Amino acid sequence: MKQFTTCVVLCVAMLFGTSMSAYAEDSLKVIKERGVIRIANTQSSPPWSYLGEDNNAAGYDVAIAKEVARRIGVSKVEFVADSFKNFVEGLKTDKYDVVMNDVTPTEERRKQVDFASPYGVEQFYIFVKENNDSIKSIRDMPGNSVGVTSGSSNETWARKHMMSSDIRAYENGGLLFNDLAIGRVDGVLSSLFGGEKFKKTNNLPIKAVGEPLTYQLSAPVVAKGKDSLRDAISSAIVSMVNDGTIDAYSAKWIGTDYHMTKGIDAALAELAEEN
């Protein structure tokens, strides 16, 4: 676990642009004096964030956000519902203090905002038709067609790692699984959650096969210049990794067979290798 924590801190420093330096401004102090931290999420992307039966925000990201707030010394959390496309601008205009909604740190995003330590990860698999017994892993994909969403990181990964497959990019990602179900493509590269959601919602005869192929981290997002807030959140998340809180919340909100910290560790290792 200590090795994992060290990896988190070092990778955050190198990849996310965090310095873990002495606080040079008062963003955390302002929030503590206010007594409320405003955290944005879509409230429409289970299991990460959604509206529960009581019409309040619920999900893995929400649970992590509440615990982070407690650990940085803020007693009240105000969840602000917003769309994914508005998150960066919402931070820049001080509509909220933090975004916690399965947001992946990318080079393009880091030009505009800062990320704290990662607390979540999505695993990506090949999905095939339920009655397909010939494709059991990515090793069986050469010569077969694979659907990806045009312009997504999935397409980039597939074109780099699946060059022997017929890669078909869809402008409308919602059509991917329907085409898989009726046999227009042999496989789809998708997050486990995305595929399972389409399967359940549309009653599609599809399944994930093989091992995780790649990963996408999720981390809290803050506006640039909010160093003390960012570093306090990172410290809180590292402590939650160390004491088992991350995996406990993952088991509660996602499932006991989903090992969050192991996935984060694998994702950080993948990033370090690429860089």
Side-chain angles (χ1 to χ4, degrees), residues 54-216:
D54 59 359
N55 212 37
N56 290 321
Y60 175 75
D61 284 0
V62 173
I64 295 293
K66 289 178 179 178
E67 181 62 15
V68 165
R70 187 187 72 80
R71 295 193 186 205
I72 68 174
V74 183
S75 58
K76 184 177 180 181
V77 180
E78 176 186 327
F79 289 105
V80 181
D82 208 347
S83 61
F84 203 95
K85 66 180 181 179
N86 293 334
F87 284 158
V88 170
E89 191 61 27
L91 287 168
K92 288 182 175 180
T93 58
D94 198 37
K95 185 177 180 180
Y96 25 77
D97 306 301
V98 188
V99 173
M100 293 183 70
N101 194 98
D102 192 27
V103 182
T104 301
T106 64
E107 287 296 333
E108 194 61 33
R109 288 171 182 159
R110 287 196 291 271
K111 293 176 183 177
Q112 303 185 71
V113 293
D114 281 344
F115 290 87
S117 294
Y119 63 90
V121 66
E122 287 210 52
Q123 301 175 351
F124 285 74
Y125 285 79
I126 294 292
F127 279 80
V128 299
K129 289 185 69 173
E130 207 163 58
N131 62 359
N132 187 330
D133 295 323
S134 62
I135 299 177
K136 296 181 172 63
S137 73
I138 191 173
R139 291 186 293 274
D140 301 315
M141 286 303 296
N144 289 299
S145 58
V146 58
V148 294
T149 302
S150 180
S152 69
S153 57
N154 297 357
E155 180 184 10
T156 302
W157 191 92
R159 294 196 183 282
K160 181 178 180 180
H161 298 277
M162 302 180 71
M163 292 183 289
S164 297
S165 297
D166 175 15
I167 299 169
R168 301 180 184 179
Y170 283 64
E171 292 294 334
N172 184 348
L175 298 177
L176 280 169
F177 292 102
N178 290 328
D179 276 12
L180 175 62
I182 62 178
R184 286 181 176 166
V185 291
D186 301 310
V188 166
L189 177 61
S190 169
S191 73
L192 182 63
F193 295 115
E196 291 296 332
K197 179 181 177 181
F198 270 94
K199 175 180 179 178
K200 183 178 180 179
T201 302
N202 300 294
N203 194 29
L204 298 177
I206 61 175
K207 63 182 179 181
V209 295
E211 298 294 321
L213 300 177
T214 186
Y215 306 86
Q216 285 186 4

